[in-house]
Amino acid sequence: MTTDTRETIMAAARKMVQTRGYNGLSFRELAKEVGIKSASIHYHFPTKGDLGQALAKRYTEDGLAYLTGLRADSDDLNLWMKGYTEIFRMALVNDNRMCLCGIMAAEYDDLPPEVRAEVDAFTDVNVRWLSDVLSICRPQLSDDEKQQQALAIYAAVEGAQLVARGRDDIGVFDATVQAYRTAGLLP
Amino acid sequence: MTTDTRETIMAAARKMVQTRGYNGLSFRELAKEVGIKSASIHYHFPTKGDLGQALAKRYTEDGLAYLTGLRADSDDLNLWMKGYTEIFRMALVNDNRMCLCGIMAAEYDDLPPEVRAEVDAFTDVNVRWLSDVLSICRPQLSDDEKQQQALAIYAAVEGAQLVARGRDDIGVFDATVQAYRTAGLLP
DNA sequence: ACCTGAACACCGTTCAAGT
DNA sequence: ACCTGAACACCGTTCAAGT
């Protein structure tokens, strides 16, 4: 069995960013964890921006695969939305981490352009999926309204995660999402 | 007229943090803007944590004064809530900045304890004020329910700001808040 | 193909020294 | 009371050098 150094780097870096953000990611610390020198990280990812871009791209791909699977595995709307919020919930359960692109969105102005583009792409994937779900359960909405409603759902869930993370209390996340559901913001 | 160096530092630092976060705040850059050497910043704020703490404390005090004023100036619920979301809106209008404590919440794990405590205090002030407003317009709710509803409103608005900031589009913020209002999440 | 040590300009912090 | 230069251990990055 061969361990792919590039993948090892990405796995460790993803965890670091989900905990401390893009600015909090240190090549030297990362190198120590992987067991190589920090200069060697640059062999695999020439700049920190390249690494950030690769992380966000992979994160979005994995998320999209999960969301596509959700819709393929059942046609129960409740399961779909439960599965959607579950991604964000699991990040918190997993060492009180955040959504990779949510935490980097807060650092938006400090992000290299290539990372910024991938953070935007993650938002697009979320909005697109939610918008598709809304097409089914709220067919009376116009495309613009669906798009806007989807963005509102995404924003609210990211906010719930941000606030619950600060409280280090998964109960806050659950109760907040429940409040969204009760209000009818989530279908 | 005397210019208070300490205040000059805080004003410049607040803007930097609202744009690039606590980690993005550089003493050397800050010193350049203020016109002193970076070592001199340490005379006023021994550590970066001290500065961050002072910033968040001041930000919360100013916010609380504004919110208290809102309730004193009218007894129109709509004006209150309009005024509430307006704080977050203005940060975006003002060079696409974020709520000081919202952006620092994303860096929570990297924050010195004294800064963390002030970020928590800001959340508490928001939840308290919203909860008081809910006491008036939703008197049937229990204290726990009001508290939870207030937290959900705060989380949703922070999320709206985070996402709209990434889009650099005040229209996204407005439409998202409107979606919250329509859903009945905001009173 | 993959890794390294050494150097560079950055960072927060400390401290002895200046006025 | 307020500021400074110099030093320290950090940071991302570069590059010539190793295997």
Side-chain angles (χ1 to χ4, degrees):
Chain A
M1 201 207 77
T2 58
T3 50
D4 186 337
T5 307
R6 194 187 148 89
E7 288 299 320
T8 310
I9 293 169
M10 283 185 71
R14 205 201 68 233
K15 287 188 178 187
M16 284 186 182
V17 175
Q18 285 191 262
T19 305
R20 315 205 344 226
Y22 179 81
N23 274 327
L25 173 67
S26 153
F27 267 45
R28 283 167 155 93
E29 220 177 306
L30 181 56
K32 215 167 286 174
E33 187 138 331
V34 174
I36 54 179
K37 298 295 166 184
S38 88
S40 309
I41 306 279
H42 289 277
Y43 174 77
H44 299 278
F45 303 95
T47 68
K48 193 172 169 179
D50 291 323
L51 175 54
Q53 178 183 26
L55 290 175
K57 193 162 149 49
R58 175 72 62 82
Y59 193 76
T60 303
E61 286 166 1
D62 291 350
L64 180 57
Y66 170 86
L67 291 174
T68 306
L70 264 185
R71 293 211 36 199
D73 289 350
S74 92
D75 33 0
D76 181 348
L77 172 70
N78 285 338
L79 274 184
W80 292 349
M81 290 309 297
K82 198 89 193 153
Y84 182 74
T85 56
E86 191 65 15
I87 317 178
F88 297 85
R89 187 180 198 277
M90 285 317 290
L92 290 172
V93 169
N94 199 347
D95 281 327
N96 204 29
R97 292 202 178 86
M98 273 195 68
C99 164
L100 184 87
C101 291
I103 199 166
M104 291 205 298
E107 306 175 282
Y108 205 76
D109 280 35
D110 260 2
L111 257 29
E114 64 271 24
V115 182
R116 228 180 276 198
E118 292 300 333
V119 171
D120 293 341
F122 179 80
T123 306
D124 292 340
V125 161
N126 278 264
V127 169
R128 166 64 84 99
W129 188 86
L130 287 166
S131 181
D132 285 350
V133 168
L134 288 170
S135 293
I136 292 170
C137 64
R138 304 259 202 285
Q140 74 280 12
L141 295 176
S142 74
D143 277 6
D144 265 15
E145 285 169 333
K146 275 182 298 201
Q147 173 100 353
Q148 184 41 60
Q149 185 80 7
L151 201 53
I153 294 171
Y154 173 66
V157 174
E158 284 285 7
Q161 193 191 44
L162 182 70
V163 170
R165 152 69 148 21
R167 298 302 220 206
D168 195 1
D169 182 356
I170 191 71
V172 166
F173 180 79
D174 291 337
T176 300
V177 168
Q178 189 50 53
Y180 295 162
R181 229 183 291 272
T182 304
L185 179 64
L186 305 203
Chain B
M1 197 209 79
T2 58
T3 50
D4 186 336
T5 307
R6 197 187 145 90
E7 289 299 321
T8 310
I9 293 169
M10 282 183 71
R14 205 202 69 234
K15 286 188 177 187
M16 284 187 182
V17 176
Q18 284 191 262
T19 305
R20 314 203 348 221
Y22 178 81
N23 274 327
L25 173 68
S26 153
F27 267 44
R28 284 169 154 93
E29 218 177 308
L30 181 56
K32 215 166 288 176
E33 187 139 330
V34 174
I36 54 180
K37 297 294 165 186
S38 89
S40 309
I41 306 277
H42 289 277
Y43 173 76
H44 299 279
F45 303 96
T47 67
K48 193 173 169 178
D50 292 321
L51 176 53
Q53 178 183 26
L55 289 175
K57 193 162 147 50
R58 175 72 61 83
Y59 193 78
T60 304
E61 286 166 1
D62 292 349
L64 181 56
Y66 170 85
L67 290 175
T68 306
L70 263 186
R71 292 210 37 198
D73 289 349
S74 91
D75 33 359
D76 181 348
L77 173 70
N78 285 338
L79 274 184
W80 293 349
M81 289 309 295
K82 197 88 197 156
Y84 181 74
T85 56
E86 191 65 15
I87 319 177
F88 297 87
R89 188 181 197 277
M90 286 316 291
L92 290 173
V93 170
N94 199 344
D95 280 328
N96 204 27
R97 291 201 177 86
M98 272 196 69
C99 163
L100 185 87
C101 292
I103 200 167
M104 290 206 297
E107 306 175 283
Y108 205 75
D109 280 35
D110 260 2
L111 258 29
E114 64 272 24
V115 182
R116 230 181 275 200
E118 294 299 334
V119 171
D120 293 342
F122 179 80
T123 306
D124 291 340
V125 162
N126 278 264
V127 169
R128 168 64 84 99
W129 187 86
L130 287 166
S131 180
D132 285 350
V133 168
L134 288 170
S135 294
I136 292 170
C137 62
R138 304 259 203 284
Q140 75 280 11
L141 294 175
S142 75
D143 278 6
D144 265 15
E145 286 167 332
K146 275 183 297 204
Q147 174 98 357
Q148 184 42 59
Q149 185 79 8
L151 202 53
I153 294 171
Y154 173 66
V157 174
E158 284 284 7
Q161 195 190 44
L162 183 70
V163 170
R165 152 75 146 18
R167 297 304 219 204
D168 194 1
D169 182 356
I170 191 69
V172 166
F173 180 77
D174 291 337
T176 300
V177 168
Q178 190 49 51
Y180 295 163
R181 228 184 291 273
T182 305
L185 179 64
L186 305 203

